[in-house]
Amino acid sequence: MKVLKGQDILALGFMTFALFVGAGNIIFPPIVGLQSGPHVWMAALGFLVTAVGLPVITVVALAKVGGGMDALSSPIGKVAGGLLAAAAYLAVGPLFATPRTATVSFEVGVAPLTGESPTALFIYSLVYFTVVLAVSMYPGKLLDTVGRFLAPLKIIALAALGIAAFMLPAGTMGDAQPEYVAAPFSQGFINGYLTMDTLGALVFGIVIVNAIRSRGVDSPQLITRYAIIAGLIAGVGLALVYISLFRLGAGSHEIASGATNGAAVLHAYVQHTFGSLGSGFLAVLIALACLVTAVGLTCACAEYFSQVLPLSYRTLVVLLAGFSLLVSNLGLTKLIAFSIPVLTAIYPPCIVLVALSFCAGLWHSQSRILAPVMAVSLLFGVIDALKGANLAGWLPESLAHLPLSEQGLAWLVPSVAMLGVAVVLDRLLGKPREAIA
């Protein structure tokens, strides 16, 4: 039986970690650290629950069913499961997340050096997606290109930034903003939820499993074990990165007190700490972080759609990279404006799907539970999305002030209530009758 060597398992863990850490992951924690002040570690705890805990749990859930989102969603039916999977892959693939990796890395790392011009963005994105295309063409070598080469470079850059945050603080903590004084854990929890890493984990599951299979491992038990180990390594890495970036933000009050986003905090810190090399260092770090994530997303989307469309993997890689190149040239502001409502709508049913997959043995029929609870979470996720798109005027007044709606979690209470109803009905109906041959 083929097994992975220790160095291969470590490379797999590094690859998984590198797939997750994009620009958004690097930008969110510094602004939370800056704004939470003395309450930074309580806010960090809430952030870690949703930005580390949920993605790792998702990787484990996918590993248990072989890596594919279609297997995880099979209890809700082939059509509904296929629609959910397609929506998730498109959202974190060519429509939003993949193009955004290019625009974020351009605006954070390159635009300060070149200026924000459409021509500069086009040239940068053309080079960027050419590299993404070249690496994504060979998914069987992903463990080598990402796990052994790109991921270690990314980890070294992040480690340098993290060590500097603790060893070379820019100053002292400032006062916390009112929302962090009132509820630091809740605010951190919400910001972690907005990183959208759980959607990313649903997409990356098949990439991780295929990377294991590319080494000749075909035992389902071993594939599951290695995927879980990779998820845990990635989780530890993510936690360390986030903690160091929280510390960086918390100590940057004196140099970035007026910052409104994490990119401004990072800029201020690296220029203060590393001088003229700061901008170049940040440009390389962000570009590397985004590039690895873009490769993972492109591979995952091509793998998925090659199974449901009459197109080859390589043809899809070319189409996805080309489409992402075009969308990225819309600019970051338009991309974010388009993406937030869509992601807000599809995130709740994905969370429900992952969470309830661990409870399948507790009821007679997984379909009776999953279908209604996911439907309710999607319905209220759409309500949150309409609010996020400033279309709340379309909603009845009774839906405008739902519990937890201010936190973007209006779907949570109705979903839990529906779960209770579904469990009672499942108990009353008993085990489904077996089809008679």
Side-chain angles (χ1 to χ4, degrees):
M1 185 183 295
K2 182 73 174 179
V3 298
L4 292 184
K5 298 176 182 177
Q7 62 185 26
D8 285 330
I9 295 174
L10 196 60
L12 182 71
F14 284 174
M15 183 195 81
T16 306
F17 165 77
L19 290 174
F20 276 114
V21 183
N25 307 79
I26 297 172
I27 289 170
F28 275 112
I31 193 65
V32 174
L34 180 72
Q35 294 177 347
S36 57
H39 304 284
V40 60
W41 298 120
M42 185 55 70
L45 182 61
F47 189 96
L48 292 176
V49 170
T50 44
V52 177
L54 272 177
V56 171
I57 288 171
T58 302
V59 170
V60 173
L62 284 167
K64 287 174 62 181
V65 296
M69 187 177 171
D70 52 346
L72 197 65
S73 62
S74 60
I76 65 172
K78 193 170 184 179
V79 174
L83 288 174
L84 180 66
Y89 275 96
L90 288 172
V92 296
L95 290 180
F96 304 127
T98 308
R100 194 170 66 182
T101 62
T103 54
V104 168
S105 61
F106 172 77
E107 295 205 10
V108 172
V110 179
L113 307 175
T114 65
E116 292 193 36
S117 73
T119 304
L121 174 59
F122 177 75
I123 293 171
Y124 175 81
S125 58
L126 182 62
V127 174
Y128 181 92
F129 282 110
T130 300
V131 176
V132 170
L133 175 67
V135 177
S136 301
M137 277 291 185
Y138 303 96
K141 296 183 179 179
L142 209 59
L143 196 56
D144 293 317
T145 54
V146 174
R148 296 182 185 278
F149 178 64
L150 292 176
L153 286 178
K154 189 172 177 177
I155 290 167
I156 290 167
L158 287 168
L161 191 61
I163 291 169
F166 280 96
M167 302 297 291
L168 303 168
T172 57
M173 291 183 186
D175 296 329
Q177 291 193 358
E179 60 267 28
Y180 284 99
V181 174
F185 181 88
S186 174
Q187 287 298 317
F189 185 94
I190 295 159
N191 276 279
Y193 163 73
L194 293 174
T195 62
M196 302 295 177
D197 272 347
T198 298
L199 277 184
L202 283 169
V203 169
F204 290 143
I206 194 67
V207 177
I208 297 164
V209 168
N210 284 344
I212 298 169
R213 287 176 177 150
S214 74
R215 285 292 189 267
V217 178
D218 52 15
S219 164
Q221 291 83 5
L222 283 179
I223 290 172
T224 301
R225 184 190 305 171
Y226 292 143
I228 290 172
I229 293 171
L232 292 174
I233 291 172
V236 171
L238 283 170
L240 292 174
V241 168
Y242 290 145
I243 289 168
S244 64
L245 291 175
F246 278 119
R247 179 67 184 87
L248 182 153
S252 297
H253 177 73
E254 294 173 12
I255 60 171
S257 59
T260 56
N261 60 64
V265 179
L266 278 172
H267 270 301
Y269 179 82
V270 295
Q271 288 177 358
H272 173 271
T273 305
F274 300 109
S276 59
L277 293 174
S279 294
F281 173 79
L282 188 61
V284 172
L285 171 59
I286 296 294
L288 199 56
C290 289
L291 186 68
V292 175
T293 302
V295 168
L297 290 170
T298 302
C299 288
C301 290
E303 290 277 2
Y304 174 75
F305 286 110
S306 67
Q307 296 171 9
V308 297
L309 296 174
L311 294 171
S312 69
Y313 171 85
R314 290 194 168 188
T315 300
L316 283 162
V317 166
V318 173
L319 292 174
L320 290 167
F323 188 80
S324 297
L325 168 64
L326 293 175
V327 175
S328 67
N329 280 269
L330 291 173
L332 183 59
T333 304
K334 287 183 180 178
L335 266 179
I336 291 175
F338 290 146
S339 67
I340 287 176
V342 177
L343 293 171
T344 301
I346 66 175
Y347 207 77
C350 290
I351 293 177
V352 169
L353 175 66
V354 171
L356 295 186
S357 72
F358 289 94
C359 309
L362 299 180
W363 30 70
H364 297 303
S365 169
Q366 180 81 326
S367 298
R368 289 176 192 160
I369 306 296
L370 267 184
V373 179
M374 287 179 68
V376 168
S377 68
L378 176 61
L379 173 64
F380 284 89
V382 170
I383 292 171
D384 275 337
L386 290 173
K387 292 177 184 175
N390 296 318
L391 297 173
W394 292 11
L395 299 171
E397 184 62 26
S398 58
L399 297 178
H401 304 289
L402 294 166
L404 301 179
S405 62
E406 292 300 315
Q407 288 79 28
L409 295 170
W411 60 273
L412 189 57
V413 174
S415 298
V416 172
M418 187 69 246
L419 175 61
V421 173
V423 169
V424 171
L425 287 174
D426 180 65
R427 286 284 180 269
L428 291 174
L429 293 171
K431 291 185 178 181
R433 289 184 179 180
E434 295 287 340
I436 301 173

